[in-house]
Amino acid sequence: MPRPIQAHIDLNALENNLHVARHATSSRIMAVIKANGYGHGLLRVAQTLADADGFALLDIQDAIRLREAGYRQTILLLEGFFDAADMELLAEYKLTSVIHSPWQIAQLAAYPKRKKLDVWLKVNTGMNRLGFAPSDVAQALELLLCQRAVRDLTLMTHFAHADEARGIGKPLQLFNEIAADYRVSRSLANSAALLRYRATHGDWVRPGILLYGASPFADVTAAQLGLRPAMTLTSRIIAVQDLRSGDEIGYGALFRADRTMRVGIVACGYADGYPRHAPNGTPMLVAGQAARLLGRVSMDMLCVDLSALPDADVGSVVTLWGEGMPIEQVAQAAGTISYELMCALAARVKVVV
Ligand SMILES: *Cc1c(COP(=O)(O)O)cnc(C)c1O
């Protein structure tokens, strides 16, 4: 029997979540499938979300893989091209590139083949990561629009606070002021903005996390948004320890029993993608019942308190996150976000659909 850890990918949940997005907007939907579809599998996600109007990712080879698999919708490279050789591939496979920096415009201008490319010009409205400052956008736009290499141009930005109380007021206003001068398509919204701010929908929305069934908001659950978790990580108890008061568990004795207690050893560790920083008390399910992590997570194992679960034993199924165990709760306990947990799912974990 193989090691019992597995990630179940629920294709119906993915479809359901795309419907939630469709319901919330009439704009075209660019499904964000970077990082191997947030850990869910690039081609698996693309196939399930084949109704999406476009796909966004980072790796040009992944983009080519999608084209070669027959997807004909817009495929957007979120960091654009990295060198002149990439540009050849953009043209050949009809991929769309984000243009975020002056060096990319210079490379476009020097591009000898003069095949037409579609580009999305990125405006920096305050995140200060990628994109042109509002005062530089006009010049960048003029440069791009007069280039024969550019066929279609979309103006985009990305919000730093769409999921928080601070919201999108100022960056939205900045973006709209710039975009008002041009008749080009617009794209602004990630999952949070798509769900919360209609005024950001523009021509294209770019949901990522919501497609995978996690809430982008700290104060609203996925279930409240009608989302269903697409990834459920489960394993089993492979050993049971009976501790006496004073006994310790695992590396560094992060947990010390103050009474007799039963502890289950679960075949799941940080090498599977479970966060090593998850503290004592991080929630999980054992045979569908609430339970808590004890001690330090090690490479291949972690420990769970079975004191209140007398029926749990070797072989009991443990749900680390997913159906019944919101990934946001695990992420919050471990001081991270659902995105990081999904993306960190290790290649050694068997995926079942
Ligand atoms: C990752 C990403 C998204 C999707 O963000 P979610 O919060 O997962 O919806 C949208 N736009 C850009 C530019 C991104 O990098």
Side-chain angles (χ1 to χ4, degrees), residues 32 76 78 98-100 120-134 137 154-162 168-179 185-191 193 199-202 204-206:
V32 179
L76 176 69
L78 287 166
V98 166
I99 302 289
H100 57 73
W120 286 33
L121 181 64
K122 189 158 192 175
V123 185
N124 173 14
T125 51
M127 183 176 261
N128 289 312
R129 212 173 52 174
L130 293 183
F132 291 82
V137 171
T154 297
L155 210 52
M156 76 177 289
T157 193
H158 191 49
F159 297 121
H161 300 283
I168 47 84
K170 187 151 170 272
L172 176 63
Q173 189 189 342
L174 264 177
F175 184 86
N176 284 343
E177 281 168 13
I178 293 163
S185 298
R186 307 172 188 197
S187 176
L188 308 85
N190 58 3
S191 296
T200 66
H201 288 192
W204 287 92
V205 292
R206 307 187 307 270

Side-chain angles (χ1 to χ4, degrees), residues 194-225:
L194 163 57
L195 293 169
R196 205 163 256 184
Y197 304 107
R198 237 201 133 75
T200 66
H201 288 192
D203 298 281
W204 287 92
V205 292
R206 307 187 307 270
I209 195 70
L210 80 76
L211 297 173
Y212 307 101
S215 171
F217 309 112
D219 55 347
V220 186
T221 65
Q224 286 170 328
L225 296 166

